[in-house]
Amino acid sequence: MSKGVPARAERWVSWSSWLGLAVIGATVTADALPGGGLAVLVVAAAVGLAVGAPAALAEWRAEPDPEPAVREALRGLTELGGIAVASAALAWIGRDGGLGLIGALIAWPLGALVARRPAWLGAPALLGVGGLCLTALARAVVAPPWTLLQPQWSAWEVYAGPATLAGLAWAGLGSARWSLGPARPPGAWRAPIGMAGVGIALATALAVHRGAAFEVSLGEGFGGVEAAVWLSLIGVSLAGAATFVPRGLQTPSGARPLVGSLLTAALAGPGAAVSPWLLGVVLPGVVLTTTAARIARGSRAWPELAAAVAAAAALVGGWPGRPSHVGDAVWLGLSVVVGFWFVATRTLLARREA
Amino acid sequence: MIALWSGLALAAVVTETPPVQGAETVIAMTDAEGAPASGETVRVVHRPGLAGEKELAVGITDGRGRVRWTPEQAGVARIRAGDELLAVVITPSAVPASTPLLLGLLGLASVLAVGWSAVEWARR
């Protein structure tokens, strides 16, 4: 299975990627909090536990796709999506500037460094998750976050898309088989349920931090240095896991941290308008493509059908709209061209070899 | 909970006591010279910038630059009197039921999901 990484280390890479997915889901829900309050997290948790996790389990139980061209196209799509989505999540941490931006920019080199010892890869993430959750409890006591977190159920059209997307991402759907990062941790059949639980905890802790910041700043902002630092620590694990090429997790790639750093810097700066496309379109697009491919090949597992519907809903609900500036449109067009080239070339090569 | 007051550089609007939901307080406005500003319309925006934002009229300041106000809703709010703004946190009269309950349920769901997965992991 693995050439350069032993099975135990492979498990660490896999778990670290799962924790990274929790960050991605948390950033998506955090942006939707002003529109729905805790209703966002409740819907995301319900989707994650009732749809995402069962669908990810069904995906795990299935045999790998035997068609090389289809397999390569899906691998290429998820490989590209993985690095792009990880960069978008890191750029989100850094978008308020300050320590968060520094943390986001050094996450890739630090991640690459930690990835040399895969057994350490999960440590920054565990520290980050634990720190964020514990400090959230303290923040909730000092500045109760009632205003931002008050549930707004009626504004569902604002938050339904992001909440659904977060629920699917937490469970690792679309990533378990063709790997947006995580491979299946050996023997861990209930891992998607556990990781959805971690995702819920992380998103709730981040929501409390943002709600407390909103109260303390008297409605002027949601950001805070403390949360950014803890998220950056998790980002180190996410970036580290993303340096492994998701093809049996052979060895860390030297090129991927460089690409990830450049992409993160671009998304935190001039290409910021592309981030909503990566998180709102690429991520649900990958989930929809992978589940639809399985359904087309005969899978009739109800969770996968439900997940495909949920992914389509997330895609529609999270559609960012047309770019409002020419520069944004250029960045977006460039991303589409590079992405298409990346996936199409490897699909063609695989078909020729077959 | 401590009510937080925020004055602008030349704060011309103040509340005489920290605002508490359901309890009457007085909003006082002065002009640049520090004299009471009468005849100014005072409005309050609850949940500024969030879903469910609500703007309510409080009244018009009297000859002493004052108007009585009983906040209906707790949380972050902005008082607008003439061109002046004052950001305040209105202390709830009681801890809102739904938000802590949902936070608790989310925490419980998280613990159960992680615990269930961990128990299976330990058995193997």
Short mmCIF file of all heavy atoms in Angstrom, two decimals, chain B residues 45-108:
data_model
loop_
_atom_site.label_atom_id
_atom_site.label_comp_id
_atom_site.label_asym_id
_atom_site.label_seq_id
_atom_site.Cartn_x
_atom_site.Cartn_y
_atom_site.Cartn_z
N VAL B 45 -30.77 50.62 17.39
CA VAL B 45 -30.67 49.50 16.45
C VAL B 45 -30.20 48.28 17.23
O VAL B 45 -29.07 48.26 17.74
CB VAL B 45 -29.68 49.80 15.30
CG1 VAL B 45 -29.60 48.61 14.34
CG2 VAL B 45 -30.08 51.06 14.57
N HIS B 46 -31.06 47.29 17.37
CA HIS B 46 -30.69 46.05 18.04
C HIS B 46 -30.02 45.11 17.03
O HIS B 46 -30.41 45.06 15.87
CB HIS B 46 -31.94 45.36 18.62
CG HIS B 46 -32.56 46.11 19.75
ND1 HIS B 46 -32.05 46.10 21.02
CD2 HIS B 46 -33.65 46.92 19.79
CE1 HIS B 46 -32.81 46.85 21.81
NE2 HIS B 46 -33.80 47.37 21.08
N ARG B 47 -29.04 44.30 17.47
CA ARG B 47 -28.33 43.34 16.63
C ARG B 47 -27.79 43.99 15.34
O ARG B 47 -28.07 43.53 14.24
CB ARG B 47 -29.25 42.17 16.25
CG ARG B 47 -29.72 41.37 17.45
CD ARG B 47 -30.68 40.25 17.01
NE ARG B 47 -30.12 39.41 15.99
CZ ARG B 47 -29.27 38.40 16.21
NH1 ARG B 47 -28.90 38.13 17.42
NH2 ARG B 47 -28.81 37.68 15.22
N PRO B 48 -27.01 45.06 15.46
CA PRO B 48 -26.55 45.75 14.24
C PRO B 48 -25.70 44.86 13.34
O PRO B 48 -24.77 44.20 13.82
CB PRO B 48 -25.71 46.92 14.79
CG PRO B 48 -25.31 46.49 16.16
CD PRO B 48 -26.42 45.65 16.68
N GLY B 49 -26.07 44.82 12.08
CA GLY B 49 -25.29 44.04 11.10
C GLY B 49 -25.59 42.56 11.10
O GLY B 49 -25.00 41.81 10.32
N LEU B 50 -26.50 42.10 11.95
CA LEU B 50 -26.81 40.67 12.02
C LEU B 50 -28.23 40.41 11.50
O LEU B 50 -29.05 41.34 11.42
CB LEU B 50 -26.71 40.16 13.46
CG LEU B 50 -25.41 40.41 14.21
CD1 LEU B 50 -25.53 39.86 15.63
CD2 LEU B 50 -24.24 39.76 13.49
N ALA B 51 -28.50 39.15 11.19
CA ALA B 51 -29.88 38.79 10.84
C ALA B 51 -30.77 39.11 12.03
O ALA B 51 -30.38 38.91 13.17
CB ALA B 51 -29.94 37.31 10.51
N GLY B 52 -31.96 39.62 11.76
CA GLY B 52 -32.86 39.99 12.85
C GLY B 52 -32.59 41.38 13.38
O GLY B 52 -33.10 41.75 14.44
N GLU B 53 -31.79 42.17 12.63
CA GLU B 53 -31.53 43.56 13.04
C GLU B 53 -32.86 44.32 13.10
O GLU B 53 -33.69 44.16 12.22
CB GLU B 53 -30.59 44.23 12.04
CG GLU B 53 -30.31 45.68 12.34
CD GLU B 53 -29.40 46.32 11.28
OE1 GLU B 53 -28.26 45.87 11.12
OE2 GLU B 53 -29.86 47.27 10.62
N LYS B 54 -33.02 45.09 14.17
CA LYS B 54 -34.29 45.80 14.33
C LYS B 54 -34.03 47.22 14.81
O LYS B 54 -33.29 47.42 15.78
CB LYS B 54 -35.15 45.06 15.36
CG LYS B 54 -36.58 45.52 15.41
CD LYS B 54 -37.50 44.50 16.07
CE LYS B 54 -37.22 44.35 17.55
NZ LYS B 54 -38.18 43.44 18.22
N GLU B 55 -34.61 48.19 14.11
CA GLU B 55 -34.44 49.59 14.51
C GLU B 55 -35.75 50.09 15.12
O GLU B 55 -36.82 49.94 14.53
CB GLU B 55 -34.04 50.45 13.31
CG GLU B 55 -33.78 51.90 13.70
CD GLU B 55 -33.06 52.68 12.61
OE1 GLU B 55 -32.60 52.06 11.64
OE2 GLU B 55 -32.99 53.91 12.73
N LEU B 56 -35.64 50.67 16.30
CA LEU B 56 -36.83 51.16 17.01
C LEU B 56 -36.65 52.63 17.38
O LEU B 56 -35.54 53.06 17.69
CB LEU B 56 -37.06 50.36 18.30
CG LEU B 56 -37.34 48.86 18.15
CD1 LEU B 56 -37.34 48.21 19.52
CD2 LEU B 56 -38.68 48.63 17.46
N ALA B 57 -37.75 53.38 17.35
CA ALA B 57 -37.70 54.78 17.79
C ALA B 57 -37.81 54.82 19.31
O ALA B 57 -38.62 54.11 19.90
CB ALA B 57 -38.85 55.54 17.15
N VAL B 58 -36.96 55.64 19.92
CA VAL B 58 -37.01 55.79 21.38
C VAL B 58 -37.82 57.03 21.74
O VAL B 58 -38.68 57.00 22.61
CB VAL B 58 -35.58 55.90 21.97
CG1 VAL B 58 -35.63 56.18 23.46
CG2 VAL B 58 -34.80 54.63 21.70
N GLY B 59 -37.56 58.12 21.05
CA GLY B 59 -38.29 59.36 21.32
C GLY B 59 -37.46 60.57 20.93
O GLY B 59 -36.46 60.45 20.21
N ILE B 60 -37.88 61.74 21.40
CA ILE B 60 -37.19 63.00 21.10
C ILE B 60 -36.72 63.60 22.42
O ILE B 60 -37.46 63.60 23.41
CB ILE B 60 -38.15 63.97 20.36
CG1 ILE B 60 -38.52 63.36 19.00
CG2 ILE B 60 -37.50 65.34 20.17
CD1 ILE B 60 -39.58 64.12 18.25
N THR B 61 -35.47 64.07 22.43
CA THR B 61 -34.91 64.59 23.69
C THR B 61 -35.67 65.85 24.13
O THR B 61 -36.08 66.68 23.31
CB THR B 61 -33.41 64.94 23.53
OG1 THR B 61 -33.25 65.82 22.41
CG2 THR B 61 -32.58 63.70 23.29
N ASP B 62 -35.85 65.97 25.47
CA ASP B 62 -36.58 67.10 26.01
C ASP B 62 -35.64 68.31 26.19
O ASP B 62 -34.50 68.30 25.70
CB ASP B 62 -37.25 66.70 27.34
CG ASP B 62 -36.22 66.24 28.38
OD1 ASP B 62 -35.01 66.51 28.18
OD2 ASP B 62 -36.60 65.58 29.37
N GLY B 63 -36.12 69.29 26.92
CA GLY B 63 -35.33 70.52 27.11
C GLY B 63 -34.02 70.27 27.84
O GLY B 63 -33.08 71.09 27.73
N ARG B 64 -33.92 69.18 28.57
CA ARG B 64 -32.66 68.87 29.27
C ARG B 64 -31.80 67.90 28.47
O ARG B 64 -30.85 67.33 28.99
CB ARG B 64 -32.98 68.28 30.65
CG ARG B 64 -33.63 69.30 31.58
CD ARG B 64 -33.76 68.75 32.99
NE ARG B 64 -34.64 67.59 33.04
CZ ARG B 64 -34.69 66.72 34.05
NH1 ARG B 64 -33.88 66.87 35.07
NH2 ARG B 64 -35.53 65.71 34.03
N GLY B 65 -32.19 67.66 27.21
CA GLY B 65 -31.42 66.76 26.34
C GLY B 65 -31.58 65.30 26.74
O GLY B 65 -30.68 64.49 26.48
N ARG B 66 -32.70 64.94 27.36
CA ARG B 66 -32.87 63.58 27.88
C ARG B 66 -34.11 62.91 27.28
O ARG B 66 -35.07 63.59 26.91
CB ARG B 66 -33.04 63.61 29.41
CG ARG B 66 -31.78 64.07 30.16
CD ARG B 66 -32.12 64.73 31.49
NE ARG B 66 -32.98 63.91 32.32
CZ ARG B 66 -32.57 63.12 33.31
NH1 ARG B 66 -31.28 63.06 33.59
NH2 ARG B 66 -33.42 62.43 34.03
N VAL B 67 -34.05 61.59 27.22
CA VAL B 67 -35.23 60.82 26.81
C VAL B 67 -35.18 59.49 27.56
O VAL B 67 -34.11 58.92 27.76
CB VAL B 67 -35.27 60.63 25.27
CG1 VAL B 67 -34.08 59.82 24.76
CG2 VAL B 67 -36.56 59.95 24.83
N ARG B 68 -36.36 59.06 28.02
CA ARG B 68 -36.42 57.80 28.77
C ARG B 68 -36.48 56.62 27.80
O ARG B 68 -37.10 56.71 26.75
CB ARG B 68 -37.65 57.79 29.68
CG ARG B 68 -37.56 58.81 30.77
CD ARG B 68 -38.74 58.74 31.73
NE ARG B 68 -38.64 59.80 32.72
CZ ARG B 68 -37.83 59.75 33.76
NH1 ARG B 68 -37.06 58.71 33.97
NH2 ARG B 68 -37.78 60.77 34.61
N TRP B 69 -35.83 55.54 28.22
CA TRP B 69 -35.75 54.36 27.33
C TRP B 69 -35.82 53.08 28.15
O TRP B 69 -35.06 52.93 29.13
CB TRP B 69 -34.43 54.41 26.54
CG TRP B 69 -34.13 53.20 25.70
CD1 TRP B 69 -34.99 52.54 24.89
CD2 TRP B 69 -32.87 52.53 25.59
NE1 TRP B 69 -34.36 51.50 24.26
CE2 TRP B 69 -33.05 51.47 24.67
CE3 TRP B 69 -31.61 52.73 26.14
CZ2 TRP B 69 -32.01 50.60 24.33
CZ3 TRP B 69 -30.59 51.87 25.80
CH2 TRP B 69 -30.78 50.82 24.90
N THR B 70 -36.70 52.18 27.73
CA THR B 70 -36.77 50.85 28.35
C THR B 70 -36.42 49.82 27.28
O THR B 70 -37.24 49.54 26.40
CB THR B 70 -38.18 50.57 28.91
OG1 THR B 70 -38.53 51.63 29.81
CG2 THR B 70 -38.22 49.23 29.64
N PRO B 71 -35.19 49.28 27.29
CA PRO B 71 -34.80 48.33 26.23
C PRO B 71 -35.68 47.09 26.25
O PRO B 71 -35.91 46.50 27.30
CB PRO B 71 -33.35 47.97 26.60
CG PRO B 71 -32.89 49.03 27.55
CD PRO B 71 -34.11 49.50 28.27
N GLU B 72 -36.16 46.73 25.05
CA GLU B 72 -37.02 45.54 24.94
C GLU B 72 -36.20 44.28 24.72
O GLU B 72 -36.63 43.19 25.05
CB GLU B 72 -37.97 45.70 23.74
CG GLU B 72 -39.01 46.78 23.92
CD GLU B 72 -39.85 46.95 22.66
OE1 GLU B 72 -39.74 46.11 21.75
OE2 GLU B 72 -40.61 47.93 22.62
N GLN B 73 -35.04 44.46 24.09
CA GLN B 73 -34.26 43.31 23.65
C GLN B 73 -32.85 43.40 24.23
O GLN B 73 -32.30 44.51 24.31
CB GLN B 73 -34.20 43.35 22.11
CG GLN B 73 -33.81 42.06 21.47
CD GLN B 73 -33.92 42.15 19.94
OE1 GLN B 73 -34.74 42.89 19.41
NE2 GLN B 73 -33.08 41.42 19.25
N ALA B 74 -32.29 42.27 24.63
CA ALA B 74 -30.93 42.26 25.18
C ALA B 74 -29.90 42.14 24.06
O ALA B 74 -30.24 41.85 22.93
CB ALA B 74 -30.78 41.11 26.16
N GLY B 75 -28.64 42.39 24.41
CA GLY B 75 -27.54 42.19 23.46
C GLY B 75 -26.95 43.49 22.96
O GLY B 75 -27.27 44.58 23.46
N VAL B 76 -26.07 43.36 21.96
CA VAL B 76 -25.39 44.53 21.41
C VAL B 76 -26.39 45.41 20.66
O VAL B 76 -27.24 44.90 19.91
CB VAL B 76 -24.25 44.09 20.46
CG1 VAL B 76 -23.62 45.30 19.77
CG2 VAL B 76 -23.18 43.31 21.23
N ALA B 77 -26.30 46.71 20.88
CA ALA B 77 -27.21 47.65 20.20
C ALA B 77 -26.47 48.96 19.96
O ALA B 77 -25.42 49.21 20.56
CB ALA B 77 -28.43 47.89 21.07
N ARG B 78 -27.00 49.74 19.04
CA ARG B 78 -26.44 51.08 18.79
C ARG B 78 -27.54 52.11 18.97
O ARG B 78 -28.61 51.98 18.40
CB ARG B 78 -25.89 51.17 17.37
CG ARG B 78 -24.65 50.32 17.23
CD ARG B 78 -23.71 50.82 16.14
NE ARG B 78 -22.59 49.89 16.10
CZ ARG B 78 -22.29 49.13 15.07
NH1 ARG B 78 -23.00 49.21 13.97
NH2 ARG B 78 -21.26 48.30 15.11
N ILE B 79 -27.22 53.12 19.77
CA ILE B 79 -28.17 54.22 19.97
C ILE B 79 -27.75 55.34 19.04
O ILE B 79 -26.58 55.72 19.00
CB ILE B 79 -28.13 54.71 21.44
CG1 ILE B 79 -28.54 53.57 22.38
CG2 ILE B 79 -29.01 55.92 21.62
CD1 ILE B 79 -28.22 53.86 23.84
N ARG B 80 -28.71 55.82 18.26
CA ARG B 80 -28.42 56.93 17.34
C ARG B 80 -29.24 58.13 17.77
O ARG B 80 -30.48 58.08 17.80
CB ARG B 80 -28.78 56.53 15.91
CG ARG B 80 -28.40 57.59 14.88
CD ARG B 80 -28.81 57.19 13.49
NE ARG B 80 -28.19 55.94 13.08
CZ ARG B 80 -28.76 55.07 12.26
NH1 ARG B 80 -29.94 55.30 11.76
NH2 ARG B 80 -28.13 53.94 11.94
N ALA B 81 -28.55 59.21 18.13
CA ALA B 81 -29.22 60.45 18.52
C ALA B 81 -28.66 61.56 17.65
O ALA B 81 -27.49 61.91 17.77
CB ALA B 81 -28.96 60.74 19.99
N GLY B 82 -29.50 62.06 16.77
CA GLY B 82 -29.00 63.03 15.79
C GLY B 82 -27.92 62.36 14.94
O GLY B 82 -28.16 61.30 14.37
N ASP B 83 -26.74 62.96 14.91
CA ASP B 83 -25.63 62.38 14.14
C ASP B 83 -24.71 61.52 15.01
O ASP B 83 -23.72 60.99 14.52
CB ASP B 83 -24.80 63.50 13.49
CG ASP B 83 -25.58 64.25 12.43
OD1 ASP B 83 -26.48 63.62 11.84
OD2 ASP B 83 -25.31 65.44 12.22
N GLU B 84 -25.00 61.44 16.28
CA GLU B 84 -24.12 60.73 17.20
C GLU B 84 -24.53 59.28 17.38
O GLU B 84 -25.71 58.95 17.30
CB GLU B 84 -24.12 61.42 18.58
CG GLU B 84 -23.67 62.87 18.55
CD GLU B 84 -22.25 63.04 18.06
OE1 GLU B 84 -21.45 62.11 18.28
OE2 GLU B 84 -21.94 64.08 17.46
N LEU B 85 -23.51 58.43 17.60
CA LEU B 85 -23.77 57.01 17.81
C LEU B 85 -23.18 56.57 19.14
O LEU B 85 -22.12 57.04 19.55
CB LEU B 85 -23.11 56.18 16.71
CG LEU B 85 -23.82 56.07 15.37
CD1 LEU B 85 -22.95 55.29 14.40
CD2 LEU B 85 -25.16 55.38 15.51
N LEU B 86 -23.87 55.68 19.81
CA LEU B 86 -23.34 55.08 21.04
C LEU B 86 -23.60 53.58 20.99
O LEU B 86 -24.76 53.15 20.86
CB LEU B 86 -24.03 55.69 22.27
CG LEU B 86 -23.63 55.07 23.61
CD1 LEU B 86 -22.19 55.41 23.96
CD2 LEU B 86 -24.57 55.56 24.72
N ALA B 87 -22.52 52.79 21.07
CA ALA B 87 -22.67 51.33 21.08
C ALA B 87 -22.77 50.85 22.52
O ALA B 87 -22.00 51.30 23.37
CB ALA B 87 -21.48 50.68 20.39
N VAL B 88 -23.73 50.00 22.77
CA VAL B 88 -23.93 49.49 24.14
C VAL B 88 -24.22 47.99 24.11
O VAL B 88 -24.58 47.44 23.07
CB VAL B 88 -25.13 50.19 24.85
CG1 VAL B 88 -24.84 51.65 25.09
CG2 VAL B 88 -26.40 50.01 24.05
N VAL B 89 -24.02 47.36 25.27
CA VAL B 89 -24.51 46.00 25.45
C VAL B 89 -25.64 46.06 26.46
O VAL B 89 -25.44 46.53 27.58
CB VAL B 89 -23.39 45.06 25.96
CG1 VAL B 89 -23.98 43.69 26.30
CG2 VAL B 89 -22.32 44.89 24.92
N ILE B 90 -26.81 45.61 26.06
CA ILE B 90 -27.96 45.60 26.96
C ILE B 90 -27.96 44.26 27.71
O ILE B 90 -28.04 43.19 27.09
CB ILE B 90 -29.27 45.78 26.17
CG1 ILE B 90 -29.22 47.08 25.37
CG2 ILE B 90 -30.48 45.73 27.10
CD1 ILE B 90 -30.25 47.16 24.27
N THR B 91 -27.84 44.36 29.02
CA THR B 91 -27.78 43.14 29.84
C THR B 91 -29.14 42.45 29.83
O THR B 91 -30.17 43.11 30.05
CB THR B 91 -27.41 43.50 31.29
OG1 THR B 91 -26.21 44.27 31.27
CG2 THR B 91 -27.19 42.26 32.13
N PRO B 92 -29.16 41.13 29.56
CA PRO B 92 -30.47 40.45 29.57
C PRO B 92 -31.04 40.37 30.98
O PRO B 92 -30.30 40.26 31.95
CB PRO B 92 -30.15 39.06 29.02
CG PRO B 92 -28.69 38.88 29.19
CD PRO B 92 -28.06 40.24 29.22
N SER B 93 -32.37 40.45 31.08
CA SER B 93 -33.01 40.34 32.40
C SER B 93 -32.88 38.92 32.93
O SER B 93 -32.87 38.69 34.13
CB SER B 93 -34.48 40.75 32.30
OG SER B 93 -35.10 40.01 31.28
N ALA B 94 -32.81 37.96 32.02
CA ALA B 94 -32.56 36.56 32.41
C ALA B 94 -31.73 35.94 31.29
O ALA B 94 -31.80 36.39 30.14
CB ALA B 94 -33.87 35.82 32.56
N VAL B 95 -30.96 34.92 31.62
CA VAL B 95 -30.14 34.27 30.59
C VAL B 95 -31.08 33.67 29.54
O VAL B 95 -32.02 32.96 29.89
CB VAL B 95 -29.27 33.15 31.20
CG1 VAL B 95 -28.54 32.38 30.10
CG2 VAL B 95 -28.28 33.74 32.17
N PRO B 96 -30.87 34.03 28.24
CA PRO B 96 -31.76 33.49 27.20
C PRO B 96 -31.71 31.96 27.19
O PRO B 96 -30.64 31.38 27.28
CB PRO B 96 -31.20 34.09 25.92
CG PRO B 96 -29.82 34.54 26.24
CD PRO B 96 -29.80 34.85 27.69
N ALA B 97 -32.89 31.35 27.06
CA ALA B 97 -32.96 29.89 27.22
C ALA B 97 -32.40 29.13 26.02
O ALA B 97 -31.66 28.16 26.17
CB ALA B 97 -34.41 29.49 27.45
N SER B 98 -32.74 29.60 24.81
CA SER B 98 -32.45 28.77 23.63
C SER B 98 -30.96 28.67 23.33
O SER B 98 -30.46 27.58 22.99
CB SER B 98 -33.18 29.33 22.40
OG SER B 98 -32.72 30.63 22.11
N THR B 99 -30.22 29.75 23.49
CA THR B 99 -28.80 29.72 23.09
C THR B 99 -27.96 28.78 23.97
O THR B 99 -27.26 27.92 23.42
CB THR B 99 -28.22 31.15 23.08
OG1 THR B 99 -29.10 32.00 22.35
CG2 THR B 99 -26.85 31.18 22.45
N PRO B 100 -28.02 28.90 25.30
CA PRO B 100 -27.25 27.94 26.10
C PRO B 100 -27.71 26.50 25.90
O PRO B 100 -26.88 25.58 25.91
CB PRO B 100 -27.51 28.39 27.54
CG PRO B 100 -27.99 29.77 27.44
CD PRO B 100 -28.68 29.89 26.14
N LEU B 101 -29.02 26.32 25.70
CA LEU B 101 -29.54 24.96 25.49
C LEU B 101 -28.95 24.36 24.21
O LEU B 101 -28.47 23.21 24.20
CB LEU B 101 -31.07 25.00 25.38
CG LEU B 101 -31.75 23.66 25.10
CD1 LEU B 101 -31.60 22.74 26.31
CD2 LEU B 101 -33.23 23.85 24.78
N LEU B 102 -28.94 25.15 23.13
CA LEU B 102 -28.39 24.65 21.87
C LEU B 102 -26.88 24.41 21.98
O LEU B 102 -26.36 23.44 21.44
CB LEU B 102 -28.68 25.64 20.73
CG LEU B 102 -30.13 25.69 20.26
CD1 LEU B 102 -30.31 26.76 19.18
CD2 LEU B 102 -30.58 24.34 19.72
N LEU B 103 -26.20 25.31 22.71
CA LEU B 103 -24.76 25.10 22.92
C LEU B 103 -24.51 23.79 23.65
O LEU B 103 -23.62 23.02 23.30
CB LEU B 103 -24.16 26.27 23.71
CG LEU B 103 -23.84 27.55 22.94
CD1 LEU B 103 -23.41 28.66 23.89
CD2 LEU B 103 -22.76 27.31 21.89
N GLY B 104 -25.34 23.52 24.66
CA GLY B 104 -25.22 22.28 25.40
C GLY B 104 -25.49 21.06 24.52
O GLY B 104 -24.78 20.05 24.60
N LEU B 105 -26.52 21.16 23.68
CA LEU B 105 -26.86 20.03 22.80
C LEU B 105 -25.75 19.77 21.79
O LEU B 105 -25.41 18.61 21.49
CB LEU B 105 -28.18 20.31 22.07
CG LEU B 105 -29.45 20.21 22.92
CD1 LEU B 105 -30.67 20.62 22.12
CD2 LEU B 105 -29.63 18.79 23.47
N LEU B 106 -25.18 20.85 21.27
CA LEU B 106 -24.07 20.68 20.32
C LEU B 106 -22.87 20.03 21.01
O LEU B 106 -22.22 19.14 20.45
CB LEU B 106 -23.66 22.04 19.73
CG LEU B 106 -24.61 22.62 18.68
CD1 LEU B 106 -24.31 24.10 18.43
CD2 LEU B 106 -24.53 21.85 17.38
N GLY B 107 -22.60 20.48 22.24
CA GLY B 107 -21.50 19.87 23.00
C GLY B 107 -21.76 18.39 23.26
O GLY B 107 -20.86 17.55 23.11
N LEU B 108 -23.01 18.07 23.61
CA LEU B 108 -23.37 16.68 23.90
C LEU B 108 -23.24 15.83 22.64
O LEU B 108 -22.69 14.71 22.68
CB LEU B 108 -24.81 16.64 24.43
CG LEU B 108 -25.34 15.28 24.87
CD1 LEU B 108 -24.56 14.80 26.10
CD2 LEU B 108 -26.83 15.36 25.21
#
